[in-house]
Amino acid sequence: MKVLKFGGTSVGSAKNINNVISILENVSKNDSIIGTVSAVGGITDKLLLAGKQAQNKDIGYLNTFSLIKDIHVAIIEELNPNNGKSLKEHVETDLNALKNLLDGIYLINELSPKTSDKLVSFGELLSSFIIAETMKQRGMSVVCKNSQELIITNSNFTKAEVNYNITNKNIQDYFRNVTQKITIIPGFISKSQLGEQTTLGRGGSDFTASIVAAALKVQQLEIWTDVSGMFTTNPKLVKQAYPIEKISYQEAMELSHFGAKVLYPPTVQPVLNLNIPIHIKNTLDPEAVGTIISNDETNTTSPVKGISNISNIALLTLQGSGMIGIPGFSKRLFETLSQEKINVILITQASSEHSICLGIDENDAELAKSAIDATFENEIALNKIDPIIVEKDLSIIALVGDNMKNHQGISGKMFSSLGKNNINIRAIAQGASEKNISAVILQSDVKKALNTLHEQFFESKTKQLNVFITGVGNVGEKLVEQIKQQRKYLKENLKINLRITGLSNSKNMIFNEEGIDLSNWKEQLVTGEKATLEGFFEGTKSLNLRNSIFVDVTANKDVSELYAKYLRQSIGVVACNKIACSSDYENYKLLKRLSLKYNAPFLFETNVGAGLPIIQTLSNLIASGDKITSIHAVLSGSLNFVFNNFNDTTKFYDVVKQAAKEGYTEPDPRIDLSGVDVARKILILARESGMEMNLEDISNTPFLSEAGLKSDSVDDFYQTLINDEAHYQKLYASAKAKGCQLKYVAQLNNGKASVSLQEIPSDHPFYNLKGKDNIVMFYTQRYPEQPMIIKGAGAGAEVTASGLFADIIRIGND
Ligand code: ADP
Ligand code: ASP
Ligand code: MG
């Protein structure tokens, strides 16, 4: 004999009920079976809503009733298009009784727990009757037995306790004489010894099935639901969750107790000692393997079996210097809660005994506070204890696994990965059996926490990076294209799942928690919401995704001023914008400190030499203990382009225009030609070498004409280039006369930095620098005479984008 239970979704529509019927038909070919059914999906909630409305004198209860009626009538009509008359009549009678009950509640304004149980019982009574009757009409051997005549409880309404002596006997007696192959019984509902209608608690149909399975000592209990088993974590919150094939009773119990709704927690108890396995199956996908809960070897590879969460938790903290001396303190505290029937979900006590922390259902918080404050009224008055502190909007997350006790460092991993993602932990509890480690966190962090922990313990091989890019001009666009092209490679070779979850230009912005579809991102962006810098920050923050990275591909000061805000949210920052790193030294230091404090990387390789690995090399040298003695460099791709192309046959203006057109200069070319851009770069290298320096400390010998230096608009500036051609030709002629090339050189020497245009002789490594190339020579303690040289293209959208990309991947490899 087998017991099969079908949940609300499984019987939630005519189509699904047909699935259920065919499953029952199939299984009954080899076995006699008992089918336990829940109310039609959502009906229990609607019955309770109608009850509340009626109690509150809200005439809307009539609408809710009509809805309940319509749902059932539609199902009957679809199931039995020709032959539903007698069924309909019976259901009409039940519905009339329901309506009378609701009218009564409306009239007297009262809904006691007892009446509430009577009210919700209609859900299961209706569904079981409809299903059994439909099967009968299709010629199957079936009977419907009201489980209220079998399962007998105390009068603890809404969550009654079962009297197993009477119940087991009732069940055994009844099934001894059943001749039909299939018996349908309603789940969830029962009666007290006084004959009152009771229920077994929300989700209790699972329990009904388990009680019957245990009473009859059947071979197997099957729970048919709307997912393919018990998952590694809540599949609604974590996409990557997957069904667990085998799990122990203890683990299943612990997971369900801590929120895995797929199994009602008391369900395990009756079948546990009898070793009856529970098989969780999917009505919507009957072929799926599902989960077997049993005592068998579960051949665990991971010590963590699953992660669950309970929402709507309130944390009560009772503290006070006088607590140690108060006799029977804990006893009084727990007695108070027990008297009020408040269930304690989690307890932690500081070892100093100065405080105790309890996690309870948020709905019980007010009651708990007033009851506890009353219990300790005297101690509070004497200042020995503070009035209890209540915090709300919290959740518990729990790691569960029988095998965790045999593995070291699980809680360490759990808390450090939560910490890295800026998830604040309010309280921690670890069961002495070490089957469970739980933490209380903010409700708003639950999704991120579950995803982080799931990645840590179940998908440790891939790391998801969530990238938010601001600025999709020349460089940004290339970056998006490179990411699009490399995603597959990164997943397969580096185990990095790189997704762009936010995109913004100066006009519009878009977000997508699942990753923006990159095949048509431009079209999406055009129709995105209006962009603001704050809006983009808020959007990024509120998605609250793990491993979030903000990428600044602008040259905008206002954007750079938001880095601190991002870092404080543990959102990493990758920037090609060099304003922040070359701003005031205090600000640069602050960003570095925030990056450390909030565990959020701050990388800006492209600030110097675009895609060339200059900053990374410098920090590797320093980290390995080397000391920089001097740096000589040509760091401006644009100036190099200009002086490589400028000679006595070209015009200075034309060459600068050309550089701007090719995208080698900043939008305002004065930033390049005045040497400010190069000064910023050498400043960043000096700072990265460990020096405290500001832009004013860098000596800058300008080569521009007087008028060029004074120009106050880009157009004016260009005009001075035309007017002052002779000035520039003179610079060229002087170098040429000495057999030299003009190069714009940055130097860091003895703690002093300078930038200037220099005449470079032919035997110098800078002499042959071509096109827009950059070169950096590091003289260090380990490279005293022959410098370490890095050379290559130092400007251009493609290489700058690849430098940003490299920074992003570095975060992924961390
Ligand atoms: P039924 O109506 O069949 O009893 P429930 O809604 O009570 O179904 O339970 C199934 C639901 O439990 C799933 O749809 C899923 O949203 C939720 N759930 C939460 N945690 C888990 C988990 N670890 N594994 C599977 N489902 C879970
Ligand atoms: N119908 C009841 C509920 O919604 C029992 C169940 O579905 O298990 O809580
Ligand atoms: Mg359920």
Side-chain angles (χ1 to χ4, degrees):
M1 192 174 237
K2 272 188 182 166
V3 176
L4 287 78
K5 177 261 170 174
F6 296 89
T9 313
S10 305
V11 299
S13 63
K15 183 167 165 265
N16 289 355
I17 291 177
N18 279 325
N19 271 349
V20 168
I21 294 177
S22 71
I23 292 167
L24 288 170
E25 197 170 15
N26 251 334
V27 182
S28 69
K29 280 184 190 142
N30 309 315
D31 237 332
S32 52
I33 53 175
I34 300 162
T36 309
V37 295
S38 290
V40 169
I43 290 296
T44 311
D45 285 337
K46 291 193 177 64
L47 287 164
L48 286 171
L49 172 66
K52 275 260 160 312
Q53 288 171 320
Q55 179 194 20
N56 294 333
K57 279 272 176 234
D58 172 357
I59 199 73
Y61 82 93
L62 289 174
N63 286 336
T64 313
F65 168 76
S66 293
L67 189 59
I68 294 170
K69 181 173 171 178
D70 292 349
I71 290 172
H72 286 97
V73 170
I75 288 179
I76 296 172
E77 279 173 356
E78 204 180 328
L79 282 174
N80 302 279
N82 310 317
N83 210 357
K85 194 153 174 280
S86 61
L87 176 54
K88 240 188 193 164
E89 277 165 13
H90 179 105
V91 168
E92 288 278 333
T93 314
D94 271 8
L95 287 168
N96 281 341
L98 168 62
K99 168 92 180 3
N100 287 340
L101 179 61
L102 287 168
D103 291 342
I105 298 168
Y106 182 77
L107 214 61
I108 62 171
N109 260 329
E110 200 181 287
L111 178 61
S112 65
K114 180 173 164 177
T115 311
S116 173
D117 269 0
K118 191 169 177 179
L119 180 66
V120 288
S121 297
F122 278 99
E124 267 72 7
L125 288 171
L126 282 164
S127 66
S128 57
F129 184 79
I130 292 170
I131 293 167
E133 214 48 33
T134 304
M135 291 166 81
K136 236 184 248 171
Q137 281 170 15
R138 293 181 188 176
M140 294 166 70
S141 165
V142 64
V143 61
C144 184
K145 175 69 182 168
N146 184 349
S147 47
Q148 291 171 317
E149 290 158 21
L150 302 174
I151 298 178
I152 305 303
T153 66
N154 64 7
S155 300
N156 199 354
F157 297 104
T158 73
K159 201 174 179 183
E161 279 140 43
V162 177
N163 181 325
Y164 282 99
N165 284 337
I166 306 176
T167 300
N168 285 347
K169 185 163 182 312
N170 284 348
I171 295 171
Q172 287 153 4
D173 288 350
Y174 175 76
F175 282 98
R176 204 168 290 129
N177 301 317
V178 166
T179 53
Q180 288 85 350
K181 276 226 118 177
I182 304 172
T183 308
I184 299 291
I185 62 170
F188 178 54
I189 60 176
S190 42
K191 268 196 183 152
S192 75
Q193 278 173 275
L194 305 173
E196 304 143 320
Q197 302 196 36
T198 56
T199 63
L200 302 174
R202 291 304 307 270
S205 294
D206 300 346
F207 192 25
T208 305
S210 170
I211 294 166
V212 175
L216 299 173
K217 298 196 175 52
V218 302
Q219 315 143 331
Q220 181 157 305
L221 165 62
E222 295 181 1
I223 306 274
W224 290 76
T225 181
D226 59 354
V227 285
S228 298
M230 188 165 230
F231 278 57
T232 44
T233 189
N234 188 342
K236 294 234 166 82
L237 298 178
V238 178
K239 269 243 162 91
Q240 282 80 4
Y242 53 86
I244 306 165
E245 269 192 43
K246 288 179 169 186
I247 188 167
S248 74
Y249 288 121
Q250 299 296 342
E251 289 169 328
M253 207 147 51
E254 205 73 23
L255 279 174
S256 69
H257 198 80
F258 277 86
K261 189 185 166 219
V262 64
L263 193 68
Y264 182 52
T267 306
V268 176
Q269 205 59 50
V271 293
L272 172 70
N273 293 332
L274 296 167
N275 250 331
I276 301 171
I278 307 175
H279 196 171
I280 301 185
K281 297 272 291 173
N282 188 350
T283 309
L284 313 174
D285 182 9
E287 297 306 314
V289 185
T291 299
I292 302 265
I293 306 171
S294 72
N295 265 337
D296 288 356
E297 199 47 57
T298 56
N299 74 19
T300 316
T301 43
S302 160
V304 180
K305 238 351 178 355
I307 310 166
S308 51
N309 72 291
I310 317 181
S311 300
N312 303 322
I313 294 291
L315 202 62
L316 309 179
T317 307
L318 197 57
Q319 59 189 20
S321 55
M323 256 170 64
I324 313 168
I326 299 175
F329 166 80
S330 299
K331 183 164 171 269
R332 287 164 64 202
L333 175 62
F334 288 108
E335 263 171 15
T336 306
L337 291 168
S338 147
Q339 266 160 21
E340 302 296 337
K341 294 208 167 76
I342 294 170
N343 182 26
V344 178
I345 305 170
L346 171 140
I347 309 167
T348 62
Q349 179 158 22
S351 55
S352 68
E353 291 183 37
H354 269 289
S355 75
I356 185 163
C357 230
L358 303 174
I360 61 169
D361 188 321
E362 204 170 73
N363 296 318
D364 294 332
E366 308 310 325
L367 179 61
K369 178 167 170 55
S370 56
I372 296 171
D373 283 348
T375 298
F376 294 104
E377 198 180 355
N378 287 339
E379 287 85 351
I380 293 171
L382 295 171
N383 276 335
K384 285 185 168 177
I385 287 184
D386 305 332
I388 196 150
I389 304 165
V390 181
E391 290 163 89
K392 289 191 177 170
D393 296 325
L394 299 170
S395 273
I396 298 178
I397 45 167
L399 290 192
V400 170
D402 286 344
N403 235 341
M404 293 199 312
K405 59 181 177 299
N406 301 324
H407 286 77
Q408 302 227 308
I410 298 210
S411 44
K413 259 194 198 168
M414 173 178 181
F415 299 128
S416 71
S417 58
L418 292 176
K420 263 191 194 159
N421 280 286
N422 202 24
I423 295 161
N424 191 13
I425 298 166
R426 294 287 307 106
I428 296 171
Q430 179 159 10
S433 64
E434 288 187 48
K435 284 185 196 313
N436 173 327
I437 308 170
S438 24
V440 179
I441 61 172
L442 286 180
Q443 182 101 33
S444 53
D445 280 334
V446 166
K447 193 167 177 190
K448 177 155 93 170
L450 290 179
N451 277 283
T452 302
L453 294 176
H454 197 265
E455 187 170 87
Q456 172 74 262
F457 291 102
F458 294 96
E459 328 152 31
S460 49
K461 287 168 207 87
T462 43
K463 182 168 184 179
Q464 187 180 96
L465 297 183
N466 296 300
V467 174
F468 298 82
I469 300 176
T470 248
V472 279
N474 248 342
V475 177
E477 186 174 333
K478 288 278 183 316
L479 176 62
V480 176
E481 292 304 321
Q482 288 177 8
I483 291 176
K484 181 170 145 194
Q485 190 195 319
Q486 286 305 102
R487 269 178 53 94
K488 189 155 168 274
Y489 176 90
L490 294 179
K491 218 177 214 166
E492 284 165 7
N493 295 282
L494 300 179
K495 303 284 177 212
I496 292 174
N497 177 14
L498 179 55
R499 310 164 345 143
I500 299 181
T501 31
L503 266 180
S504 163
N505 56 21
S506 53
K507 294 194 195 75
N508 302 82
M509 60 185 187
I510 48 172
F511 295 95
N512 188 336
E513 191 174 354
E514 306 301 334
I516 291 167
D517 176 1
L518 296 183
S519 63
N520 63 348
W521 64 271
K522 283 189 189 161
E523 289 81 357
Q524 293 179 60
L525 189 57
V526 173
T527 55
E529 59 184 302
K530 189 179 171 331
T532 60
L533 299 181
E534 270 300 319
F536 197 67
F537 167 73
E538 286 301 330
T540 303
K541 179 179 151 198
S542 65
L543 277 187
N544 203 9
L545 298 173
R546 66 196 183 286
N547 306 321
S548 290
I549 306 169
F550 170 66
V551 185
D552 177 7
V553 202
T554 71
N556 186 308
K557 183 161 183 286
D558 297 339
V559 178
S560 75
E561 282 169 357
L562 286 175
Y563 297 172
K565 270 181 113 160
Y566 280 99
L567 293 170
R568 283 195 174 96
Q569 297 298 324
S570 291
I571 297 169
V573 174
V574 167
C576 65
N577 181 349
K578 42 184 151 330
I579 296 177
C581 283
S582 56
S583 65
D584 187 51
Y585 182 75
E586 279 314 312
N587 186 47
Y588 162 83
K589 262 325 231 195
L590 171 75
L591 295 175
K592 288 264 167 178
R593 268 202 310 277
L594 291 176
S595 160
L596 277 180
K597 179 169 175 197
Y598 291 95
N599 234 317
F602 174 39
L603 299 177
F604 41 86
E605 179 59 84
T606 45
N607 278 196
V608 182
L612 296 178
I614 296 172
I615 294 180
Q616 159 107 60
T617 305
L618 178 57
S619 45
N620 287 347
L621 288 173
I622 295 187
S624 66
D626 204 352
K627 294 238 156 38
I628 305 296
T629 40
S630 71
I631 299 175
H632 298 252
V634 175
L635 294 174
S636 170
S638 40
L639 286 177
N640 215 31
F641 178 89
V642 168
F643 288 107
N644 279 341
N645 289 291
F646 175 57
N647 54 43
D648 42 15
T649 66
T650 55
K651 291 247 173 350
F652 197 67
Y653 166 83
D654 292 338
V655 176
V656 174
K657 264 284 178 198
Q658 176 74 15
K661 200 172 134 220
E662 305 269 342
Y664 300 149
T665 65
E666 298 281 329
D668 180 348
R670 289 172 298 176
I671 297 180
D672 294 296
L673 282 107
S674 66
V676 168
D677 189 57
V678 177
R680 282 179 180 160
K681 290 175 179 168
I682 194 72
L683 173 67
I684 294 169
L685 294 185
R687 286 174 171 179
E688 289 291 296
S689 312
M691 287 165 211
E692 184 176 334
M693 200 180 274
N694 274 313
L695 204 55
E696 310 82 82
D697 303 327
I698 294 172
S699 105
N700 181 346
T701 318
F703 68 82
L704 289 175
S705 65
E706 260 323 279
L709 281 169
K710 285 191 187 135
S711 65
D712 40 33
S713 75
V714 175
D715 287 344
D716 272 2
F717 176 67
Y718 275 121
Q719 189 55 49
T720 70
L721 298 188
I722 297 172
N723 300 346
D724 297 336
E725 176 67 18
H727 167 81
Y728 298 106
Q729 283 298 342
K730 227 158 90 192
L731 296 175
Y732 175 77
S734 159
K736 191 180 176 198
K738 295 175 196 143
C740 289
Q741 289 267 6
L742 285 174
K743 299 286 168 202
Y744 198 82
V745 176
Q747 268 167 301
L748 178 69
N749 225 333
N750 285 329
K752 293 229 155 28
S754 63
V755 292
S756 60
L757 188 67
Q758 293 185 11
E759 298 172 340
I760 302 291
S762 59
D763 58 350
H764 192 280
F766 292 175
Y767 185 85
N768 284 316
L769 207 59
K770 294 282 181 310
K772 54 190 188 302
D773 279 7
N774 278 195
I775 184 167
V776 182
M777 305 198 298
F778 289 114
Y779 289 91
T780 73
Q781 272 178 0
R782 292 182 193 146
Y783 295 89
E785 265 123 47
Q786 291 305 316
M788 177 190 267
I789 297 181
I790 300 169
K791 181 179 162 193
E798 198 75 64
V799 289
T800 307
S802 76
L804 289 165
F805 202 164
D807 275 349
I808 295 170
I809 292 166
R810 252 176 85 195
I811 298 177
N813 281 334
D814 256 3

